[in-house]
Amino acid sequence: MTRAKDYQPRPEDKFSFGLWTVGNRGRDPFGDFVRPVMAPNDIVAMLAEVGAWGVNLHDNDLVPIDASAAERDSIVRSFKKACEANGLVVPMVTVSLFFHPIFRDGAFTANDPEVRAYAVQKTMRAMDIGAELGAKIFVLWGGREGVETDACRPAEEAVKRLREAINYLCRYSLDRGYGMKFALEAKPNEPRADIYMSTTGSYLGFIPTLDHPEMAGVNPEMAHEHMSGLNFMHAVAQAWEAGKLFHIDLNDQMPGRYDQDLRFGSANLKAAFWLVKFLEDVHYDGPRHFDAHAYRTEDYEGVKDFARGCMRTYLILKDKACLWNHDREIQGILAEISSDGNAPKIGKYSSEGASRLLNHVFDKEKILQKRLPYERLDQLTVDLLLGVR
Ligand code: GCO
Ligand code: MN
Ligand code: MN
C-alpha cells in the first residue's frame, strides 16, 4: 500500500454513489422534503464535479415505474450519454422492490403469487437497464421481505420463495448473456419490523443453496450490521474470505438507532478505520459505494460537502492504514504477539499427529508469561488516528 499524497479522489479509488444518495431530498417519517428534485443527469454532473468514479441506481430512480417502452428507451439513452459526457461509469444497478404499495407484504416472498411474479418481472426489466448501462453487479436488497407478525407465513417458506426468485434471475442473466453477478444485501429491520436475511452471515449461509452459487455474493452495509450492534469489518472479512464480497455499502450509523445513513466515518471513526484498513490490506478492487445521504439541514452545496467528506475520510483512513502498517512499534508488537514459540503444529489431521497432540504436555505457566500488550497496541492506534503520532 502506498501513501496517498493528497486526499483527492481518483478513478482508481472506485468511489461510487447511488442516484438515491446524493439525490436524497431529506424527507423522513416526521417531515417533508427539504431539497428540490434533482434530475438524474444533473446528479451525474454533480458527482463528476466532486470527483466520483461511478453512479448506481434503482430502476425507478431513473425510469418512472409506469413509463412507456419509448419513454424508458429515451431516458436510458440520455442518461447513458450524460454518464459518458461526465466520465462516469455505472458499476451497479438495483431494483426498487419496496417503494410501491404493491410490495406492502414483500416482493419475492409476498404471499400473493401475482406480486411475486411482478417482482421478478420488475427485476428482469431492471437488469435490462443495467445491461444497457454496462453494469455487471446487480444488488438485491429485500427491504420489504419481512414481517410485522410471524403469523403471516412460515419463515422457511420465505427462504424457499427467495431462492426460487434468485435462481430464476440467475438463469435470466445467463440466457441474455448479461454476465451479471448478484450482490445480496442484508438488513435486520426497517422498513419491516423484521427482515428475512437479517445479516450478511445469513446470506453467506443461503448462497450455497442456490442453483448458481457462483453468481451470488453479498453487498454488506456498514449501517445495517451496526444497527444490530455487530462488527461490520468481521462480516466483510468473512465475505471476502469466502470469495463473496461482490460490492460494499459504506456509510455510518450509531448502534441501536433508526436507520441513519450517515456520512462515512462520521459516527464510528475507529470502526471505519479497521474497515478501510481491511479493504486496502486485502486489495479489494470492487466499487466503494457510499449508501448514505446528507443531513436534512443541507442544501445541494451541503450535499457536495457530504459526498466529498465520504471520499476524503476514506482516503485519510487509507493513509492512516499505511502509516499503521509501517509503524515500527506497532509492527514490533504484532511480531511479538504472533510468534509461534514452541507450539506443536496442528496442521492437517492424521492419526499419528492426533496421538502426538494428545501426548504433548503444555506448560501453562510458561504460556501465560507471554505478553499480550493490546492496551499499548490500541493506544498507538488511537494516537495515530488522532494525528499525534
Ligand atoms: C436501505 C438500503 C438501500 C439499498 C438500496 C439498494 O437501507 O435503504 O441500504 O439503500 O442499499 O436500495 O438496493
Ligand atoms: Mn441502508
Ligand atoms: Mn444499502
Side-chain angles (χ1 to χ4, degrees):
M1 200 191 302
T2 50
R3 283 194 67 186
K5 290 183 191 56
D6 54 35
Y7 303 121
Q8 292 304 312
R10 295 187 169 77
E12 56 269 29
D13 297 318
K14 295 195 175 171
F15 290 136
S16 62
F17 291 84
L19 283 181
W20 72 95
T21 65
V22 281
N24 178 286
R25 299 177 54 209
R27 186 174 56 171
D28 68 21
F30 303 94
D32 215 340
F33 299 116
V34 293
R35 288 182 284 268
V37 179
M38 197 171 193
N41 291 7
D42 295 336
I43 296 179
V44 165
M46 178 169 77
L47 286 175
E49 182 189 336
V50 298
W53 155 84
V55 58
N56 307 316
L57 52 109
H58 297 93
D59 49 355
N60 305 136
D61 296 339
L62 183 63
V63 181
I65 193 162
D66 289 321
S68 69
E71 281 160 358
R72 175 242 180 251
D73 288 351
S74 97
I75 293 171
V76 174
R77 235 179 288 125
S78 138
F79 184 75
K80 194 172 177 177
K81 267 198 209 126
C83 289
E84 282 161 7
N86 284 283
L88 256 80
V89 297
V90 182
M92 176 275 261
V93 162
T94 182
V95 59
S96 171
L97 297 178
F98 48 87
F99 193 80
H100 194 280
I102 195 172
F103 301 122
R104 70 197 196 279
D105 183 39
F108 299 149
T109 65
N111 280 341
D112 184 340
E114 208 172 348
V115 173
R116 300 206 294 274
Y118 175 64
V120 172
Q121 182 207 60
K122 191 171 191 293
T123 306
M124 288 156 68
R125 290 185 174 165
M127 289 167 66
D128 297 343
I129 295 176
E132 207 170 320
L133 296 172
K136 292 290 178 202
I137 304 167
F138 197 91
V139 163
L140 283 173
W141 173 62
R144 298 278 174 197
E145 315 287 15
V147 295
E148 280 69 45
T149 169
D150 280 315
C152 69
R153 77 180 69 78
E156 78 279 15
E157 184 57 31
V159 178
K160 291 186 203 311
R161 290 176 188 169
L162 194 60
R163 181 184 298 118
E164 190 180 43
I166 297 176
N167 282 341
Y168 196 93
L169 296 166
C170 286
R171 291 277 155 90
Y172 183 64
S173 173
L174 292 170
D175 194 25
R176 293 286 160 115
Y178 284 165
M180 273 176 192
K181 288 194 164 194
F182 294 88
L184 312 179
E185 179 176 346
K187 189 176 184 184
N189 55 272
E190 238 187 296
R192 299 309 294 268
D194 288 295
I195 299 179
Y196 301 121
M197 302 292 162
S198 51
T199 65
T200 298
S202 313
Y203 269 132
L204 290 174
F206 169 76
I207 288 168
T209 72
L210 294 170
D211 287 348
H212 284 281
E214 74 288 354
M215 292 177 69
V218 290
N219 177 36
E221 174 167 320
M222 191 156 200
H224 295 179
E225 305 290 326
H226 285 188
M227 281 167 77
S228 317
L230 299 175
N231 183 315
F232 181 57
M233 189 269 281
H234 290 188
V236 170
Q238 193 189 347
W240 170 263
E241 202 274 338
K244 291 299 182 191
L245 188 63
F246 287 9
H247 196 260
I248 193 164
D249 277 4
L250 302 173
N251 52 11
D252 217 339
Q253 167 79 31
M254 294 176 200
R257 307 267 175 104
Y258 64 96
D259 180 13
Q260 296 176 305
D261 283 337
L262 296 168
R263 191 180 75 256
F264 180 62
S266 61
N268 301 280
L269 257 187
K270 212 170 157 193
F273 169 69
W274 294 122
L275 190 260
V276 170
K277 180 169 142 42
F278 175 82
L279 294 178
E280 298 302 321
D281 283 351
V282 301
H283 306 292
Y284 165 74
D285 73 346
R288 279 127 176 104
H289 171 229
F290 297 103
D291 187 5
H293 50 76
Y295 302 147
R296 192 162 179 270
T297 44
E298 303 302 309
D299 59 12
Y300 278 110
E301 280 310 306
V303 171
K304 289 183 207 166
D305 290 336
F306 149 83
R308 288 191 177 106
C310 287
M311 298 185 283
R312 182 175 169 82
T313 299
Y314 187 100
L315 292 171
I316 295 171
L317 293 176
K318 178 177 170 179
D319 187 32
K320 296 285 182 189
C322 183
L323 289 174
W324 200 94
N325 287 343
H326 291 96
D327 187 292
R328 291 178 82 188
E329 190 175 350
I330 289 174
Q331 293 307 314
I333 296 177
L334 289 185
E336 184 185 340
I337 60 180
S338 51
S339 69
D340 285 351
N342 297 320
K345 297 269 171 294
I346 300 178
K348 217 171 154 199
Y349 187 87
S350 69
S351 303
E352 304 77 60
S355 304
R356 231 178 300 125
L357 182 57
L358 284 168
N359 290 325
H360 186 87
V361 180
F362 289 91
D363 184 346
K364 295 195 206 59
E365 287 311 313
K366 191 160 168 258
I367 293 169
L368 278 170
Q369 278 163 24
K370 189 169 163 179
R371 242 170 41 111
L372 292 173
Y374 297 164
E375 284 286 1
R376 178 75 189 144
L377 187 57
D378 190 69
Q379 188 60 43
L380 289 169
T381 305
V382 170
D383 279 13
L384 198 146
L385 288 179
L386 294 181
V388 297
R389 188 165 173 80

